[in-house]
PDB file of all heavy atoms in Angstrom:
ATOM      1  N   LEU A   1     -53.496  38.645 -24.195  1.00  0.00           N
ATOM      2  CA  LEU A   1     -52.723  37.930 -25.145  1.00  0.00           C
ATOM      3  C   LEU A   1     -52.622  36.446 -24.707  1.00  0.00           C
ATOM      4  O   LEU A   1     -52.202  36.183 -23.570  1.00  0.00           O
ATOM      5  CB  LEU A   1     -51.246  38.425 -25.120  1.00  0.00           C
ATOM      6  CG  LEU A   1     -51.022  39.801 -25.754  1.00  0.00           C
ATOM      7  CD1 LEU A   1     -49.574  40.205 -25.608  1.00  0.00           C
ATOM      8  CD2 LEU A   1     -51.547  39.967 -27.181  1.00  0.00           C
ATOM      9  N   LYS A   2     -53.048  35.558 -25.540  1.00  0.00           N
ATOM     10  CA  LYS A   2     -53.105  34.128 -25.287  1.00  0.00           C
ATOM     11  C   LYS A   2     -51.732  33.487 -25.565  1.00  0.00           C
ATOM     12  O   LYS A   2     -51.035  33.785 -26.489  1.00  0.00           O
ATOM     13  CB  LYS A   2     -54.159  33.522 -26.169  1.00  0.00           C
ATOM     14  CG  LYS A   2     -55.564  33.962 -25.831  1.00  0.00           C
ATOM     15  CD  LYS A   2     -56.553  33.302 -26.785  1.00  0.00           C
ATOM     16  CE  LYS A   2     -57.931  33.784 -26.536  1.00  0.00           C
ATOM     17  NZ  LYS A   2     -58.964  33.152 -27.439  1.00  0.00           N
ATOM     18  N   ASN A   3     -51.525  32.515 -24.654  1.00  0.00           N
ATOM     19  CA  ASN A   3     -50.337  31.629 -24.920  1.00  0.00           C
ATOM     20  C   ASN A   3     -50.466  30.872 -26.212  1.00  0.00           C
ATOM     21  O   ASN A   3     -51.551  30.360 -26.441  1.00  0.00           O
ATOM     22  CB  ASN A   3     -50.164  30.680 -23.729  1.00  0.00           C
ATOM     23  CG  ASN A   3     -48.836  29.944 -23.781  1.00  0.00           C
ATOM     24  OD1 ASN A   3     -48.394  29.506 -24.773  1.00  0.00           O
ATOM     25  ND2 ASN A   3     -48.285  29.809 -22.608  1.00  0.00           N
ATOM     26  N   THR A   4     -49.432  30.877 -27.022  1.00  0.00           N
ATOM     27  CA  THR A   4     -49.558  30.210 -28.345  1.00  0.00           C
ATOM     28  C   THR A   4     -49.540  28.638 -28.172  1.00  0.00           C
ATOM     29  O   THR A   4     -49.966  28.038 -29.115  1.00  0.00           O
ATOM     30  CB  THR A   4     -48.291  30.559 -29.235  1.00  0.00           C
ATOM     31  OG1 THR A   4     -47.140  30.184 -28.546  1.00  0.00           O
ATOM     32  CG2 THR A   4     -48.258  32.043 -29.524  1.00  0.00           C
ATOM     33  N   GLU A   5     -49.218  28.181 -27.031  1.00  0.00           N
ATOM     34  CA  GLU A   5     -49.143  26.725 -26.718  1.00  0.00           C
ATOM     35  C   GLU A   5     -48.331  26.015 -27.758  1.00  0.00           C
ATOM     36  O   GLU A   5     -48.796  24.898 -28.197  1.00  0.00           O
ATOM     37  CB  GLU A   5     -50.530  26.182 -26.445  1.00  0.00           C
ATOM     38  CG  GLU A   5     -51.268  26.849 -25.282  1.00  0.00           C
ATOM     39  CD  GLU A   5     -52.590  26.209 -24.971  1.00  0.00           C
ATOM     40  OE1 GLU A   5     -52.904  25.102 -25.352  1.00  0.00           O
ATOM     41  OE2 GLU A   5     -53.322  26.832 -24.179  1.00  0.00           O
ATOM     42  N   ALA A   6     -47.308  26.633 -28.267  1.00  0.00           N
ATOM     43  CA  ALA A   6     -46.438  25.995 -29.200  1.00  0.00           C
ATOM     44  C   ALA A   6     -45.824  24.750 -28.668  1.00  0.00           C
ATOM     45  O   ALA A   6     -45.786  24.534 -27.389  1.00  0.00           O
ATOM     46  CB  ALA A   6     -45.421  26.969 -29.767  1.00  0.00           C
ATOM     47  N   THR A   7     -45.238  23.926 -29.422  1.00  0.00           N
ATOM     48  CA  THR A   7     -44.564  22.679 -29.016  1.00  0.00           C
ATOM     49  C   THR A   7     -43.638  22.953 -27.807  1.00  0.00           C
ATOM     50  O   THR A   7     -42.866  23.853 -27.829  1.00  0.00           O
ATOM     51  CB  THR A   7     -43.696  22.135 -30.164  1.00  0.00           C
ATOM     52  OG1 THR A   7     -44.582  21.842 -31.192  1.00  0.00           O
ATOM     53  CG2 THR A   7     -43.114  20.774 -29.719  1.00  0.00           C
ATOM     54  N   GLY A   8     -43.789  22.113 -26.695  1.00  0.00           N
ATOM     55  CA  GLY A   8     -43.075  22.270 -25.601  1.00  0.00           C
ATOM     56  C   GLY A   8     -43.552  23.251 -24.553  1.00  0.00           C
ATOM     57  O   GLY A   8     -42.965  23.362 -23.385  1.00  0.00           O
ATOM     58  N   PHE A   9     -44.729  23.858 -24.821  1.00  0.00           N
ATOM     59  CA  PHE A   9     -45.257  24.893 -23.807  1.00  0.00           C
ATOM     60  C   PHE A   9     -45.407  24.219 -22.551  1.00  0.00           C
ATOM     61  O   PHE A   9     -45.879  23.117 -22.282  1.00  0.00           O
ATOM     62  CB  PHE A   9     -46.460  25.516 -24.402  1.00  0.00           C
ATOM     63  CG  PHE A   9     -47.846  25.194 -23.769  1.00  0.00           C
ATOM     64  CD1 PHE A   9     -48.253  26.081 -22.827  1.00  0.00           C
ATOM     65  CD2 PHE A   9     -48.404  24.075 -24.038  1.00  0.00           C
ATOM     66  CE1 PHE A   9     -49.458  25.723 -22.198  1.00  0.00           C
ATOM     67  CE2 PHE A   9     -49.606  23.698 -23.502  1.00  0.00           C
ATOM     68  CZ  PHE A   9     -50.163  24.525 -22.562  1.00  0.00           C
ATOM     69  N   THR A  10     -45.173  25.099 -21.442  1.00  0.00           N
ATOM     70  CA  THR A  10     -45.323  24.661 -20.069  1.00  0.00           C
ATOM     71  C   THR A  10     -46.474  25.484 -19.423  1.00  0.00           C
ATOM     72  O   THR A  10     -46.891  25.027 -18.277  1.00  0.00           O
ATOM     73  CB  THR A  10     -44.011  24.907 -19.324  1.00  0.00           C
ATOM     74  OG1 THR A  10     -43.759  26.305 -19.215  1.00  0.00           O
ATOM     75  CG2 THR A  10     -42.930  24.179 -19.811  1.00  0.00           C
ATOM     76  N   GLY A  11     -46.905  26.615 -19.974  1.00  0.00           N
ATOM     77  CA  GLY A  11     -47.789  27.495 -19.271  1.00  0.00           C
ATOM     78  C   GLY A  11     -47.188  28.555 -18.459  1.00  0.00           C
ATOM     79  O   GLY A  11     -47.807  29.476 -18.082  1.00  0.00           O
ATOM     80  N   ASP A  12     -45.875  28.375 -18.253  1.00  0.00           N
ATOM     81  CA  ASP A  12     -45.044  29.436 -17.527  1.00  0.00           C
ATOM     82  C   ASP A  12     -44.781  30.601 -18.396  1.00  0.00           C
ATOM     83  O   ASP A  12     -45.010  30.524 -19.536  1.00  0.00           O
ATOM     84  CB  ASP A  12     -43.832  28.856 -17.008  1.00  0.00           C
ATOM     85  CG  ASP A  12     -43.983  27.646 -16.006  1.00  0.00           C
ATOM     86  OD1 ASP A  12     -45.018  27.525 -15.444  1.00  0.00           O
ATOM     87  OD2 ASP A  12     -42.995  26.920 -15.773  1.00  0.00           O
ATOM     88  N   VAL A  13     -44.314  31.639 -17.747  1.00  0.00           N
ATOM     89  CA  VAL A  13     -43.842  32.862 -18.554  1.00  0.00           C
ATOM     90  C   VAL A  13     -42.450  33.282 -18.048  1.00  0.00           C
ATOM     91  O   VAL A  13     -42.263  33.342 -16.791  1.00  0.00           O
ATOM     92  CB  VAL A  13     -44.816  34.064 -18.330  1.00  0.00           C
ATOM     93  CG1 VAL A  13     -44.394  35.305 -19.052  1.00  0.00           C
ATOM     94  CG2 VAL A  13     -46.217  33.704 -18.740  1.00  0.00           C
ATOM     95  N   ASN A  14     -41.595  33.460 -18.904  1.00  0.00           N
ATOM     96  CA  ASN A  14     -40.190  33.834 -18.616  1.00  0.00           C
ATOM     97  C   ASN A  14     -39.952  35.271 -19.105  1.00  0.00           C
ATOM     98  O   ASN A  14     -40.471  35.696 -20.014  1.00  0.00           O
ATOM     99  CB  ASN A  14     -39.181  32.921 -19.236  1.00  0.00           C
ATOM    100  CG  ASN A  14     -39.330  31.470 -18.728  1.00  0.00           C
ATOM    101  OD1 ASN A  14     -39.705  31.194 -17.601  1.00  0.00           O
ATOM    102  ND2 ASN A  14     -39.071  30.582 -19.605  1.00  0.00           N
ATOM    103  N   VAL A  15     -39.009  36.009 -18.364  1.00  0.00           N
ATOM    104  CA  VAL A  15     -38.523  37.214 -18.742  1.00  0.00           C
ATOM    105  C   VAL A  15     -37.054  36.994 -19.114  1.00  0.00           C
ATOM    106  O   VAL A  15     -36.328  36.523 -18.263  1.00  0.00           O
ATOM    107  CB  VAL A  15     -38.652  38.307 -17.648  1.00  0.00           C
ATOM    108  CG1 VAL A  15     -37.905  39.585 -18.036  1.00  0.00           C
ATOM    109  CG2 VAL A  15     -40.220  38.605 -17.454  1.00  0.00           C
ATOM    110  N   VAL A  16     -36.679  37.433 -20.348  1.00  0.00           N
ATOM    111  CA  VAL A  16     -35.323  37.315 -20.731  1.00  0.00           C
ATOM    112  C   VAL A  16     -34.650  38.659 -20.883  1.00  0.00           C
ATOM    113  O   VAL A  16     -35.154  39.516 -21.616  1.00  0.00           O
ATOM    114  CB  VAL A  16     -35.204  36.541 -22.101  1.00  0.00           C
ATOM    115  CG1 VAL A  16     -33.746  36.444 -22.557  1.00  0.00           C
ATOM    116  CG2 VAL A  16     -35.927  35.216 -21.961  1.00  0.00           C
ATOM    117  N   LEU A  17     -33.554  38.840 -20.152  1.00  0.00           N
ATOM    118  CA  LEU A  17     -32.696  40.109 -20.316  1.00  0.00           C
ATOM    119  C   LEU A  17     -31.430  39.608 -20.984  1.00  0.00           C
ATOM    120  O   LEU A  17     -30.594  38.844 -20.380  1.00  0.00           O
ATOM    121  CB  LEU A  17     -32.349  40.695 -19.014  1.00  0.00           C
ATOM    122  CG  LEU A  17     -31.522  41.959 -18.999  1.00  0.00           C
ATOM    123  CD1 LEU A  17     -32.259  43.077 -19.870  1.00  0.00           C
ATOM    124  CD2 LEU A  17     -31.237  42.435 -17.674  1.00  0.00           C
ATOM    125  N   PRO A  18     -31.265  39.846 -22.379  1.00  0.00           N
ATOM    126  CA  PRO A  18     -30.145  39.438 -23.004  1.00  0.00           C
ATOM    127  C   PRO A  18     -28.820  39.994 -22.465  1.00  0.00           C
ATOM    128  O   PRO A  18     -28.917  40.895 -21.643  1.00  0.00           O
ATOM    129  CB  PRO A  18     -30.319  39.890 -24.498  1.00  0.00           C
ATOM    130  CG  PRO A  18     -31.282  40.989 -24.392  1.00  0.00           C
ATOM    131  CD  PRO A  18     -32.064  40.775 -23.142  1.00  0.00           C
ATOM    132  N   ALA A  19     -27.692  39.431 -22.828  1.00  0.00           N
ATOM    133  CA  ALA A  19     -26.454  40.025 -22.416  1.00  0.00           C
ATOM    134  C   ALA A  19     -26.559  41.493 -22.737  1.00  0.00           C
ATOM    135  O   ALA A  19     -26.817  41.936 -23.787  1.00  0.00           O
ATOM    136  CB  ALA A  19     -25.271  39.366 -23.173  1.00  0.00           C
ATOM    137  N   CYS A  20     -26.216  42.265 -21.758  1.00  0.00           N
ATOM    138  CA  CYS A  20     -26.405  43.815 -21.934  1.00  0.00           C
ATOM    139  C   CYS A  20     -25.362  44.547 -21.156  1.00  0.00           C
ATOM    140  O   CYS A  20     -24.316  43.903 -20.730  1.00  0.00           O
ATOM    141  CB  CYS A  20     -27.789  44.134 -21.347  1.00  0.00           C
ATOM    142  SG  CYS A  20     -28.181  43.472 -19.778  1.00  0.00           S
ATOM    143  N   THR A  21     -25.559  45.790 -20.954  1.00  0.00           N
ATOM    144  CA  THR A  21     -24.617  46.574 -20.238  1.00  0.00           C
ATOM    145  C   THR A  21     -24.890  46.623 -18.697  1.00  0.00           C
ATOM    146  O   THR A  21     -26.006  46.687 -18.258  1.00  0.00           O
ATOM    147  CB  THR A  21     -24.673  47.969 -20.774  1.00  0.00           C
ATOM    148  OG1 THR A  21     -24.484  48.026 -22.194  1.00  0.00           O
ATOM    149  CG2 THR A  21     -23.700  48.952 -20.146  1.00  0.00           C
ATOM    150  N   SER A  22     -23.798  46.479 -17.941  1.00  0.00           N
ATOM    151  CA  SER A  22     -23.928  46.656 -16.532  1.00  0.00           C
ATOM    152  C   SER A  22     -24.672  47.952 -16.128  1.00  0.00           C
ATOM    153  O   SER A  22     -24.388  48.986 -16.679  1.00  0.00           O
ATOM    154  CB  SER A  22     -22.549  46.589 -15.845  1.00  0.00           C
ATOM    155  OG  SER A  22     -22.725  46.641 -14.372  1.00  0.00           O
ATOM    156  N   GLY A  23     -25.657  47.747 -15.255  1.00  0.00           N
ATOM    157  CA  GLY A  23     -26.434  48.926 -14.800  1.00  0.00           C
ATOM    158  C   GLY A  23     -27.827  49.084 -15.481  1.00  0.00           C
ATOM    159  O   GLY A  23     -28.558  49.956 -15.136  1.00  0.00           O
ATOM    160  N   ASP A  24     -27.914  48.344 -16.684  1.00  0.00           N
ATOM    161  CA  ASP A  24     -29.330  48.449 -17.257  1.00  0.00           C
ATOM    162  C   ASP A  24     -30.328  47.937 -16.294  1.00  0.00           C
ATOM    163  O   ASP A  24     -30.059  47.027 -15.550  1.00  0.00           O
ATOM    164  CB  ASP A  24     -29.314  47.513 -18.558  1.00  0.00           C
ATOM    165  CG  ASP A  24     -28.540  48.096 -19.762  1.00  0.00           C
ATOM    166  OD1 ASP A  24     -28.114  49.211 -19.664  1.00  0.00           O
ATOM    167  OD2 ASP A  24     -28.407  47.425 -20.707  1.00  0.00           O
ATOM    168  N   THR A  25     -31.574  48.486 -16.458  1.00  0.00           N
ATOM    169  CA  THR A  25     -32.606  48.198 -15.448  1.00  0.00           C
ATOM    170  C   THR A  25     -33.838  47.935 -16.058  1.00  0.00           C
ATOM    171  O   THR A  25     -34.227  48.418 -17.167  1.00  0.00           O
ATOM    172  CB  THR A  25     -32.733  49.326 -14.390  1.00  0.00           C
ATOM    173  OG1 THR A  25     -33.165  50.516 -15.047  1.00  0.00           O
ATOM    174  CG2 THR A  25     -31.461  49.653 -13.643  1.00  0.00           C
ATOM    175  N   GLY A  26     -34.726  47.221 -15.338  1.00  0.00           N
ATOM    176  CA  GLY A  26     -36.135  47.107 -15.871  1.00  0.00           C
ATOM    177  C   GLY A  26     -37.078  46.811 -14.699  1.00  0.00           C
ATOM    178  O   GLY A  26     -36.720  46.049 -13.719  1.00  0.00           O
ATOM    179  N   THR A  27     -38.292  47.336 -14.765  1.00  0.00           N
ATOM    180  CA  THR A  27     -39.259  47.022 -13.862  1.00  0.00           C
ATOM    181  C   THR A  27     -40.597  46.683 -14.605  1.00  0.00           C
ATOM    182  O   THR A  27     -40.905  47.469 -15.602  1.00  0.00           O
ATOM    183  CB  THR A  27     -39.600  48.221 -12.945  1.00  0.00           C
ATOM    184  OG1 THR A  27     -38.389  48.482 -12.205  1.00  0.00           O
ATOM    185  CG2 THR A  27     -40.823  47.875 -12.005  1.00  0.00           C
ATOM    186  N   ILE A  28     -41.237  45.496 -14.375  1.00  0.00           N
ATOM    187  CA  ILE A  28     -42.391  45.138 -15.136  1.00  0.00           C
ATOM    188  C   ILE A  28     -43.466  44.704 -14.158  1.00  0.00           C
ATOM    189  O   ILE A  28     -43.186  43.895 -13.250  1.00  0.00           O
ATOM    190  CB  ILE A  28     -42.116  43.945 -15.986  1.00  0.00           C
ATOM    191  CG1 ILE A  28     -40.897  44.210 -16.886  1.00  0.00           C
ATOM    192  CG2 ILE A  28     -43.287  43.566 -16.871  1.00  0.00           C
ATOM    193  CD1 ILE A  28     -40.314  42.965 -17.560  1.00  0.00           C
ATOM    194  N   VAL A  29     -44.670  45.275 -14.228  1.00  0.00           N
ATOM    195  CA  VAL A  29     -45.828  44.940 -13.506  1.00  0.00           C
ATOM    196  C   VAL A  29     -46.852  44.389 -14.440  1.00  0.00           C
ATOM    197  O   VAL A  29     -47.237  45.090 -15.387  1.00  0.00           O
ATOM    198  CB  VAL A  29     -46.317  46.108 -12.620  1.00  0.00           C
ATOM    199  CG1 VAL A  29     -47.629  45.675 -11.824  1.00  0.00           C
ATOM    200  CG2 VAL A  29     -45.341  46.686 -11.713  1.00  0.00           C
ATOM    201  N   CYS A  30     -47.342  43.218 -14.202  1.00  0.00           N
ATOM    202  CA  CYS A  30     -48.283  42.507 -15.121  1.00  0.00           C
ATOM    203  C   CYS A  30     -49.520  42.114 -14.355  1.00  0.00           C
ATOM    204  O   CYS A  30     -49.465  41.613 -13.277  1.00  0.00           O
ATOM    205  CB  CYS A  30     -47.694  41.226 -15.760  1.00  0.00           C
ATOM    206  SG  CYS A  30     -46.166  41.542 -16.715  1.00  0.00           S
ATOM    207  N   GLU A  31     -50.642  42.186 -15.117  1.00  0.00           N
ATOM    208  CA  GLU A  31     -51.915  41.737 -14.648  1.00  0.00           C
ATOM    209  C   GLU A  31     -52.230  40.582 -15.690  1.00  0.00           C
ATOM    210  O   GLU A  31     -52.173  40.710 -16.897  1.00  0.00           O
ATOM    211  CB  GLU A  31     -53.079  42.740 -14.773  1.00  0.00           C
ATOM    212  CG  GLU A  31     -54.393  42.166 -14.388  1.00  0.00           C
ATOM    213  CD  GLU A  31     -55.408  43.134 -14.443  1.00  0.00           C
ATOM    214  OE1 GLU A  31     -55.399  44.120 -13.707  1.00  0.00           O
ATOM    215  OE2 GLU A  31     -56.319  42.999 -15.276  1.00  0.00           O
ATOM    216  N   TRP A  32     -52.414  39.344 -15.071  1.00  0.00           N
ATOM    217  CA  TRP A  32     -52.695  38.191 -15.908  1.00  0.00           C
ATOM    218  C   TRP A  32     -54.076  37.609 -15.627  1.00  0.00           C
ATOM    219  O   TRP A  32     -54.591  37.761 -14.540  1.00  0.00           O
ATOM    220  CB  TRP A  32     -51.720  37.087 -15.451  1.00  0.00           C
ATOM    221  CG  TRP A  32     -50.283  37.482 -15.545  1.00  0.00           C
ATOM    222  CD1 TRP A  32     -49.549  38.022 -14.556  1.00  0.00           C
ATOM    223  CD2 TRP A  32     -49.449  37.352 -16.756  1.00  0.00           C
ATOM    224  NE1 TRP A  32     -48.193  38.184 -14.999  1.00  0.00           N
ATOM    225  CE2 TRP A  32     -48.085  37.857 -16.252  1.00  0.00           C
ATOM    226  CE3 TRP A  32     -49.548  36.890 -17.985  1.00  0.00           C
ATOM    227  CZ2 TRP A  32     -47.113  37.884 -17.081  1.00  0.00           C
ATOM    228  CZ3 TRP A  32     -48.499  36.978 -18.904  1.00  0.00           C
ATOM    229  CH2 TRP A  32     -47.248  37.447 -18.450  1.00  0.00           C
ATOM    230  N   ILE A  33     -54.666  36.955 -16.613  1.00  0.00           N
ATOM    231  CA  ILE A  33     -55.877  36.237 -16.444  1.00  0.00           C
ATOM    232  C   ILE A  33     -55.551  34.787 -16.377  1.00  0.00           C
ATOM    233  O   ILE A  33     -54.827  34.204 -17.189  1.00  0.00           O
ATOM    234  CB  ILE A  33     -56.842  36.393 -17.672  1.00  0.00           C
ATOM    235  CG1 ILE A  33     -57.221  37.933 -17.657  1.00  0.00           C
ATOM    236  CG2 ILE A  33     -58.057  35.640 -17.500  1.00  0.00           C
ATOM    237  CD1 ILE A  33     -57.943  38.218 -18.984  1.00  0.00           C
ATOM    238  N   LYS A  34     -56.043  34.095 -15.297  1.00  0.00           N
ATOM    239  CA  LYS A  34     -55.649  32.675 -15.119  1.00  0.00           C
ATOM    240  C   LYS A  34     -56.553  31.771 -15.986  1.00  0.00           C
ATOM    241  O   LYS A  34     -57.748  32.011 -16.043  1.00  0.00           O
ATOM    242  CB  LYS A  34     -55.722  32.276 -13.725  1.00  0.00           C
ATOM    243  CG  LYS A  34     -54.662  32.987 -12.823  1.00  0.00           C
ATOM    244  CD  LYS A  34     -54.863  32.952 -11.353  1.00  0.00           C
ATOM    245  CE  LYS A  34     -54.644  31.549 -10.792  1.00  0.00           C
ATOM    246  NZ  LYS A  34     -54.672  31.513  -9.345  1.00  0.00           N
ATOM    247  N   VAL A  35     -56.076  30.757 -16.649  1.00  0.00           N
ATOM    248  CA  VAL A  35     -56.733  29.792 -17.547  1.00  0.00           C
ATOM    249  C   VAL A  35     -56.536  28.370 -16.870  1.00  0.00           C
ATOM    250  O   VAL A  35     -55.424  28.001 -16.668  1.00  0.00           O
ATOM    251  CB  VAL A  35     -56.240  29.843 -18.992  1.00  0.00           C
ATOM    252  CG1 VAL A  35     -57.007  28.841 -19.815  1.00  0.00           C
ATOM    253  CG2 VAL A  35     -56.386  31.263 -19.527  1.00  0.00           C
ATOM    254  N   TYR A  36     -57.701  27.822 -16.662  1.00  0.00           N
ATOM    255  CA  TYR A  36     -57.665  26.454 -15.940  1.00  0.00           C
ATOM    256  C   TYR A  36     -57.947  25.349 -16.821  1.00  0.00           C
ATOM    257  O   TYR A  36     -58.495  25.442 -17.963  1.00  0.00           O
ATOM    258  CB  TYR A  36     -58.747  26.526 -14.842  1.00  0.00           C
ATOM    259  CG  TYR A  36     -58.467  27.478 -13.693  1.00  0.00           C
ATOM    260  CD1 TYR A  36     -58.899  28.789 -13.799  1.00  0.00           C
ATOM    261  CD2 TYR A  36     -57.619  27.150 -12.717  1.00  0.00           C
ATOM    262  CE1 TYR A  36     -58.605  29.667 -12.813  1.00  0.00           C
ATOM    263  CE2 TYR A  36     -57.277  28.076 -11.644  1.00  0.00           C
ATOM    264  CZ  TYR A  36     -57.834  29.321 -11.759  1.00  0.00           C
ATOM    265  OH  TYR A  36     -57.611  30.243 -10.668  1.00  0.00           O
ATOM    266  N   GLU A  37     -57.437  24.111 -16.348  1.00  0.00           N
ATOM    267  CA  GLU A  37     -57.679  22.877 -17.106  1.00  0.00           C
ATOM    268  C   GLU A  37     -59.174  22.650 -17.186  1.00  0.00           C
ATOM    269  O   GLU A  37     -59.837  23.029 -16.240  1.00  0.00           O
ATOM    270  CB  GLU A  37     -57.031  21.626 -16.271  1.00  0.00           C
ATOM    271  CG  GLU A  37     -55.553  21.783 -16.073  1.00  0.00           C
ATOM    272  CD  GLU A  37     -54.802  21.350 -17.296  1.00  0.00           C
ATOM    273  OE1 GLU A  37     -55.364  20.747 -18.228  1.00  0.00           O
ATOM    274  OE2 GLU A  37     -53.570  21.631 -17.342  1.00  0.00           O
ATOM    275  N   SER A  38     -59.649  22.102 -18.222  1.00  0.00           N
ATOM    276  CA  SER A  38     -61.103  21.872 -18.390  1.00  0.00           C
ATOM    277  C   SER A  38     -61.582  20.796 -17.495  1.00  0.00           C
ATOM    278  O   SER A  38     -60.927  19.854 -17.193  1.00  0.00           O
ATOM    279  CB  SER A  38     -61.357  21.455 -19.882  1.00  0.00           C
ATOM    280  OG  SER A  38     -60.924  22.388 -20.689  1.00  0.00           O
TER     281      SER A  38
END
């Protein structure tokens, strides 16, 4: 999945856990392909 590079993009990736219930959990393992400046 390619970064959309929408206005303001930094190249970073964030994970957002909205306000939720105490004790909710999540584990995420990601494999990324690095894209370099030309």
Side-chain angles (χ1 to χ4, degrees):
L1 292 180
K2 295 179 181 180
N3 189 320
T4 60
E5 297 188 17
T7 302
F9 107 100
T10 62
D12 296 343
V13 179
N14 297 324
V15 169
V16 178
L17 180 62
C20 51
T21 304
S22 181
D24 284 356
T25 62
T27 298
I28 308 169
V29 178
C30 298
E31 177 183 295
W32 306 92
I33 298 169
K34 295 167 71 175
V35 179
Y36 293 91
E37 299 282 345
S38 301

